[in-house]
């Protein structure tokens, strides 16, 4: 029980920001904990595998070890979530409806046949979420699961639960992170368990002190490394820039995220030292007093000037953009200030940063562009550059689509060479604009054969995009400033220049 108690401490109601990564690695080598597998009971379980994590190779070690050789009593060994693997395990998200009062650690262990140390690590990583009332079961639920759900969430049952009195149904269904392994659950509560959190091995390879640009009483400016998350993900708040920068500075209060840049992007980010300044900086962003300059390494040149697109309002990648105005779509504007020819990154640099060329036809030169981001949208520079036929070097998501458009002009239903559909297709466009979703899913709206042309074109275009890059792309947030330049900070040399600088030295 000693090891379990230690894991519980780690997974307790706080995050141990004073503990260095080396200590966590040491904890990973504690003696393995054995447990007899339980028969799943007293839980409604729905499995979801919607997320798609890319693996570097297929023969790497798994994130945790479950040996094929069992002991005589049927137990199996377990090696914790640390040390961090160099890849992500296949997605696995479990949805549970609680049917009995118990401790969250014990409940998940029993319901999902998981070892206690592993569940404690999941809680510490922020990979377990709860809600007072479960959302509706998914369409894949069995009649038995639906019946059990209705039993524990019936109005006459819910009205007797003191925890949800005074709350609307929507408020009661809001999810929160489980922060303590000893947190008690009550019947009818909902749990979402990300059994295979997305991992960020780069966090353990970085000299974080060398990435600190400035430290003030109210904020910290960090030169974020590529291949890391600013504030963590929905299933992993442990392996984040905020966490590791906090430890590197020896702070007792965790740094807070004020804005985001993509995991595969490097450069300047501002982390607040208090909730108060976090709100202040959010206000500056809303008032558009924060200016961001980027260096973008593109595969083709772009003209100097303002580039305008409209982005589909769907919160999922890839982000689709249109050169023409589409009702309900979001305005995207950036200004290319400079564009100069530079050498394409050499093979050693490409290997170090896992740069994929996606079979781009020419690799003699790349083009370094300085970009003034006039509107801040997710994937904006990546999507706009690709739409102009100049995808970013290493962008394995948008470069394949750009190549497809070059090889087959008109395949992009929102590009300059797009196919013109007849007036009968207006109801499809209206459907997209109204719902912000593709009209060709499981519950697709039924159109006639002629109307299917445009929806099929959109579906085909989405499939032309690839997967998210493993580590880096040719994009750096090179400068951030606010208060009319009173605060101005610059990142170091972008990754594609560092090897050249090192050779010059």
């Amino acid at each position: 029980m000693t090891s379990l108690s230690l894991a519980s401490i780690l997974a307790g109601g706080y995050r141990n920001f004073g503990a260095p990564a080396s200590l966590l690695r040491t904890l990973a080598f504690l003696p393995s904990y054995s447990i007899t597998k339980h028969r799943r009971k007293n839980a409604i379980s729905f499995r979801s595998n919607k997320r798609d994590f890319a693996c570097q190779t297929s023969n790497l070690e798994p994130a945790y070890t479950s040996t094929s050789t069992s002991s005589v009593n049927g137990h199996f060994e377990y090696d914790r979530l640390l040390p961090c693997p160099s890849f992500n395990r296949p997605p696995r998200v479990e949805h549970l409806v609680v049917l009995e009062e118990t401790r969250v650690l014990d409940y998940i262990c029993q319901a999902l046949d998981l070892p206690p140390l592993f569940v404690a690590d999941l809680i510490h990583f922020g990979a377990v979420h709860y809600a007072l009332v479960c959302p509706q079961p998914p369409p894949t639920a069995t009649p038995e699961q639906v019946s059990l759900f209705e039993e524990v969430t019936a109005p006459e049952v819910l009205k007797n639960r003191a925890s949800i009195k005074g709350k609307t149904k929507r408020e009661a269904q809001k999810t929160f992170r489980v922060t303590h392994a000893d947190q008690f659950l009550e019947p009818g509560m909902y749990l979402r368990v990300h059994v295979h959190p997305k991992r960020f091995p780069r966090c353990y390879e970085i000299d974080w002190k060398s990435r600190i640009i400035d430290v003030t009483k109210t904020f910290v400016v960090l030169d974020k490394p590529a291949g890391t998350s600013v504030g963590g993900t929905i299933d992993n708040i442990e392996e984040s820039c905020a966490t590791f920068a906090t430890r590197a500075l020896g702070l007792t209060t965790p740094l807070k995220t004020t804005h985001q840049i993509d995991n595969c992007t490097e450069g300047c980010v501002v982390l607040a030292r208090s909730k108060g300044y976090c709100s202040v900086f959010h206000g500056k962003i809303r008032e558009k007093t924060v200016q961001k300059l980027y260096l973008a390494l593109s595969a083709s040149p772009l003209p100097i000037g303002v580039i305008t697109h409209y982005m589909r309002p769907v919160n999922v990648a890839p982000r689709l953009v249109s050169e023409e105005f589409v009702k309900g779509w979001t305005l995207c504007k950036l200004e290319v200030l400079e564009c100069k020819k530079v050498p394409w990154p050499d093979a050693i640099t490409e290997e170090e940063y896992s740069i994929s060329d996606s079979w781009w036809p020419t690799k003699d030169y790349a083009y370094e562009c300085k970009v003034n981001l006039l509107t801040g949208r997710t994937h904006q520079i990546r999507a706009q550059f690709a739409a102009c036929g100049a995808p970013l070097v290493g962008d394995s998501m948008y470069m394949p689509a750009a190549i497809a458009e070059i090889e087959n002009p008109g395949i992009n239903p929102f590009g300059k060479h797009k196919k013109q559909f007849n007036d009968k297709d207006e109801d499809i466009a209206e459907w997209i604009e109204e719902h912000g979703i593709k009209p060709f899913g499981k519950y697709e709206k039924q159109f006639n054969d002629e109307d299917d042309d445009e929806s099929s074109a959109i579906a085909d275009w989405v499939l032309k995009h690839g997967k998210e890059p493993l580590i880096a792309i040719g994009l750096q947030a090179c400068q951030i400033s606010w208060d009319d330049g009173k605060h101005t900070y610059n990142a170091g040399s972008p990754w594609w220049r560092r090897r050249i600088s090192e050779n010059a030295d």
Side-chain angles (χ1 to χ4, degrees):
M1 294 301 293
T2 303
S3 297
L4 180 57
S5 298
L6 181 57
S8 298
I9 291 173
L10 282 175
Y14 64 93
R15 291 164 66 196
N16 187 5
F17 287 95
S22 59
L23 173 59
L24 294 179
R25 285 184 173 275
T26 301
L27 292 173
F29 290 96
L30 290 172
S32 298
Y33 188 89
S34 296
I35 175 176
T36 302
K37 288 190 176 182
H38 293 282
R39 176 178 174 269
R40 185 178 299 184
K41 61 180 182 178
N42 295 330
I44 308 174
S45 176
F46 311 117
R47 178 170 293 185
S48 172
N49 291 327
K50 292 182 179 180
R51 295 180 303 166
D52 188 11
F53 295 156
C55 296
Q56 291 180 320
T57 66
S58 60
N59 59 351
L60 295 173
E61 293 181 358
Y64 63 87
T65 302
S66 178
T67 61
S68 58
T69 304
S70 300
S71 61
V72 293
N73 59 2
H75 296 180
F76 61 90
E77 296 181 353
Y78 170 66
D79 291 334
R80 309 289 298 273
L81 283 182
L82 292 172
C84 182
S86 57
F87 75 108
N88 284 296
R89 285 179 60 80
R92 179 184 171 190
V93 183
E94 299 281 357
H95 304 268
L96 305 173
V97 180
V98 179
L99 300 181
E100 63 179 11
E101 184 174 322
T102 184
R103 195 173 68 133
V104 64
L105 181 84
D106 299 333
Y107 197 83
I108 295 174
C109 289
Q110 182 177 1
L112 301 181
D113 291 336
L114 295 174
L117 287 178
F118 181 56
V119 176
D121 284 347
L122 288 177
I123 293 172
H124 177 66
F125 268 56
V128 181
H129 300 251
Y130 77 95
L132 295 174
V133 174
C134 181
Q136 291 294 322
T140 55
T142 66
E144 180 186 8
Q145 290 171 333
V146 172
S147 177
L148 287 170
F149 166 82
E150 293 174 347
E151 178 182 332
V152 297
T153 59
E156 59 270 20
V157 174
L158 294 179
K159 70 180 182 181
N160 294 324
R161 290 176 55 187
S163 60
I164 63 174
K165 285 186 177 180
K167 294 182 174 64
T168 64
K169 183 178 180 180
R170 188 169 184 176
E171 290 172 337
Q173 290 177 333
K174 185 176 180 180
T175 57
F176 301 90
R177 275 193 169 93
V178 173
T179 58
H180 199 290
D182 292 327
Q183 180 173 329
F184 264 83
L185 307 174
E186 60 183 13
M189 288 181 66
Y190 162 74
L191 285 178
R192 186 178 71 243
V193 184
H194 298 261
V195 182
H196 298 158
K198 184 174 183 179
R199 308 305 300 274
F200 294 91
R202 286 270 293 167
C203 287
Y204 304 96
E205 304 168 1
I206 302 299
D207 177 5
W208 287 92
K209 283 189 176 181
S210 70
R211 309 291 300 203
I212 304 297
I213 298 175
D214 194 18
V215 180
T216 73
K217 293 181 178 179
T218 54
F219 61 85
V220 170
V221 183
L222 175 72
D223 188 352
K224 173 193 172 297
T228 61
S229 169
V230 176
T233 59
I234 193 171
D235 53 8
N236 187 347
I237 56 175
E238 164 64 22
E239 294 168 342
S240 69
C241 293
T243 298
F244 278 77
T246 298
R247 291 184 182 138
L249 294 171
L251 303 177
T252 56
T253 302
L255 293 169
K256 296 167 177 59
T257 304
T258 63
H259 63 108
Q260 294 282 353
I261 59 177
D262 292 346
N263 296 344
C264 53
T265 303
E266 64 178 19
C268 298
V269 294
V270 178
L271 302 170
R273 298 188 64 173
S274 66
K275 288 184 178 180
Y277 191 77
C278 194
S279 299
V280 169
F281 200 83
H282 285 163
K284 296 180 184 295
I285 293 175
R286 286 194 301 271
E287 295 164 4
K288 303 186 184 302
T289 61
V290 178
Q291 184 180 36
K292 302 176 185 178
L293 295 181
Y294 285 80
L295 288 179
L297 188 69
S298 63
S300 297
L302 280 174
I304 305 300
V306 176
I307 299 175
T308 301
H309 286 91
Y310 299 89
M311 182 175 287
R312 185 177 66 153
V314 178
N315 190 28
V316 64
R319 306 294 173 131
L320 302 187
V321 295
S322 170
E323 294 189 358
E324 297 181 0
F325 171 78
V326 181
K327 182 180 178 181
W329 287 33
T330 307
L331 175 67
C332 294
K333 292 182 71 173
L334 59 80
E335 182 181 10
V336 179
L337 303 174
E338 301 174 5
C339 184
K340 60 182 181 181
K341 182 186 291 187
V342 298
W344 191 282
D346 61 32
I348 296 177
T349 303
E350 286 186 324
E351 182 179 0
E352 180 180 355
Y353 291 94
S354 296
I355 300 302
S356 169
D357 60 19
S358 301
W359 297 281
W360 186 257
T362 57
K363 291 179 57 180
D364 295 328
Y365 295 98
Y367 298 84
E368 186 179 279
C369 303
K370 181 173 282 188
V371 177
N372 180 18
L373 197 59
L374 302 176
T375 59
R377 316 296 181 197
T378 301
H379 290 196
Q380 180 180 332
I381 296 177
R382 298 167 62 183
Q384 286 196 265
F385 269 53
C388 294
L392 301 187
V393 172
D395 196 344
S396 54
M397 175 170 284
Y398 291 93
M399 185 176 279
I403 294 173
E405 173 71 5
I406 292 172
E407 295 176 345
N408 186 8
I411 195 172
N412 178 1
F414 305 110
K416 63 174 63 176
H417 303 294
K418 67 179 181 178
K419 176 183 176 182
Q420 299 299 319
F421 297 96
N422 58 43
D423 294 339
K424 292 182 180 180
D425 297 313
E426 290 181 357
D427 52 355
I428 298 180
E430 291 174 358
W431 176 268
I432 296 172
E433 293 167 15
E434 178 182 354
H435 299 277
I437 60 175
K438 301 186 292 292
F440 39 80
K442 182 175 180 181
Y443 302 103
E444 66 183 80
K445 182 179 178 181
Q446 298 300 314
F447 301 104
N448 60 41
D449 291 340
E450 292 182 0
D451 293 332
D452 283 341
D453 290 345
E454 186 169 2
S455 59
S456 296
I458 297 171
D460 290 341
W461 177 238
V462 170
L463 293 175
K464 296 301 179 184
H465 294 74
K467 295 184 180 297
E468 189 69 4
L470 291 174
I471 296 181
I473 61 173
L475 189 61
Q476 183 200 54
C478 64
Q479 184 183 97
I480 189 168
S481 62
W482 64 94
D483 293 347
D484 295 324
K486 179 181 178 181
H487 299 287
T488 301
Y489 298 96
N490 295 288
S493 295
W495 61 263
W496 58 88
R497 283 195 209 157
R498 285 180 199 137
R499 183 168 171 78
I500 298 174
S501 300
E502 291 169 2
N503 291 338
D505 295 340

